Each structure stands twice: as structure tokens, then as C-alpha cells.
């Protein structure tokens, strides 16, 4: 995006848009399902949200960036933490979510279900 990309508001929301896998476009290029963000009475940027089917891939990529390595290389405890984060973010409501996460973590679906069950058991004991 060129032009208003140097506006302080646009620079401020860019990390959020990137983290969710969105795309920033000029407000005049906004389509019907884009979200136009207004600041101080002026349209500053339109955000094109990712398709739901792409959201899990963006979540996984963001977690890899945060951990600085492929998720499959994480230790067991950290993988469990990743599964908790993904559950909180709704990753397992997406079709084939468990399979996608298991593949990214380098574990079986059964292991992901075990991590989820362990977390849910811990919540119910609290």
C-alpha cells in the first residue's frame, strides 16, 4: 500500500493486521466485506480480512515466528502451550483443525486430543 501507509494510525494497526493475516488497502479500493478504519474523521485504511480457511495457517505461522523455529522442533511442554493458545483462538473449530495442528507440531492427532483433554481436565479441577 502506498500513500497513506505512512500515517501514524496506519503504522499503528499494521502489526495487528499482519498478525491476523489481513491485507491493508487504500480506502477507495475497499470492497463490500473490507473493514474501513477511520481516524479523526477521515478514512485511513481498509482492511481485507483473510478467509476463515486461511486463518489457521496464519495462526500457525505467527506462532512459529514467535518461537523462532518450526513448531515441530518445540519441546513437549511448549507444544502443549501452543495447543492451549490455538484452542483459545478457536483453531479447533475449523474443519481439519486438529489434523493441521498435529502436522505442524509433528505429532499425531491422538497427541493433540490428549493435550486438549489434559487442559480441559485441569480447568475442571480448578
Amino acid at each position: 500500500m502506498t500513500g497513506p501507509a505512512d500515517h501514524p494510525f496506519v503504522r499503528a494497526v499494521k502489526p495487528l493486521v499482519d498478525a491476523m493475516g489481513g491485507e491493508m488497502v487504500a480506502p477507495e479500493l475497499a470492497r463490500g466485506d473490507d473493514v474501513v478504519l477511520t481516524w479523526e474523521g477521515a478514512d485511513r485504511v481498509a482492511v481485507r480480512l483473510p478467509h476463515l480457511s486461511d486463518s489457521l495457517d496464519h495462526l500457525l505461522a505467527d506462532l512459529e515466528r514467535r518461537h523462532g523455529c518450526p513448531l515441530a522442533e518445540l519441546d513437549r511442554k511448549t507444544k502443549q502451550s501452543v495447543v492451549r493458545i490455538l484452542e483459545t483462538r478457536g483453531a479447533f473449530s475449523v474443519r481439519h483443525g486438529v489434523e493441521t495442528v498435529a502436522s505442524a507440531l509433528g505429532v499425531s492427532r491422538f497427541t493433540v486430543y490428549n493435550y486438549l483433554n489434559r487442559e480441559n481436565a485441569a480447568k475442571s479441577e480448578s
Side-chain angles (χ1 to χ4, degrees):
M1 191 177 125
T2 58
D6 60 344
H7 189 278
F9 176 74
V10 175
R11 287 195 313 265
V13 298
K14 185 176 182 341
L16 175 62
V17 173
D18 290 346
M20 56 188 218
E23 177 186 356
M24 295 170 58
V25 298
E28 61 272 11
L29 300 177
R31 297 190 294 219
D33 59 343
D34 293 342
V35 179
V36 178
L37 301 177
T38 302
W39 182 257
E40 296 180 342
D43 292 344
R44 299 294 177 186
V45 66
V47 178
R48 190 158 294 152
L49 300 172
H51 292 282
L52 185 57
S53 60
D54 297 331
S55 295
L56 182 52
D57 292 335
H58 291 291
L59 285 171
L60 292 168
D62 181 54
L63 287 166
E64 280 194 352
R65 275 192 301 277
R66 290 178 189 216
H67 288 285
C69 67
L71 298 177
E73 295 178 8
L74 299 174
D75 61 45
R76 185 174 140 261
K77 184 175 180 180
T78 308
K79 287 179 181 181
Q80 289 172 335
S81 173
V82 165
V83 168
R84 281 192 301 273
I85 291 166
L86 291 169
E87 182 181 28
T88 302
R89 304 272 313 266
F92 301 111
S93 62
V94 176
R95 185 174 182 194
H96 302 296
V98 171
E99 292 87 347
T100 302
V101 170
S103 176
L105 292 175
V107 300
S108 69
R109 290 179 315 157
F110 181 75
T111 299
V112 172
Y113 283 119
N114 280 340
Y115 292 169
L116 290 168
N117 291 335
R118 189 172 296 133
E119 177 65 20
N120 291 332
K123 285 180 187 176
S124 66
E125 291 175 6
S126 300

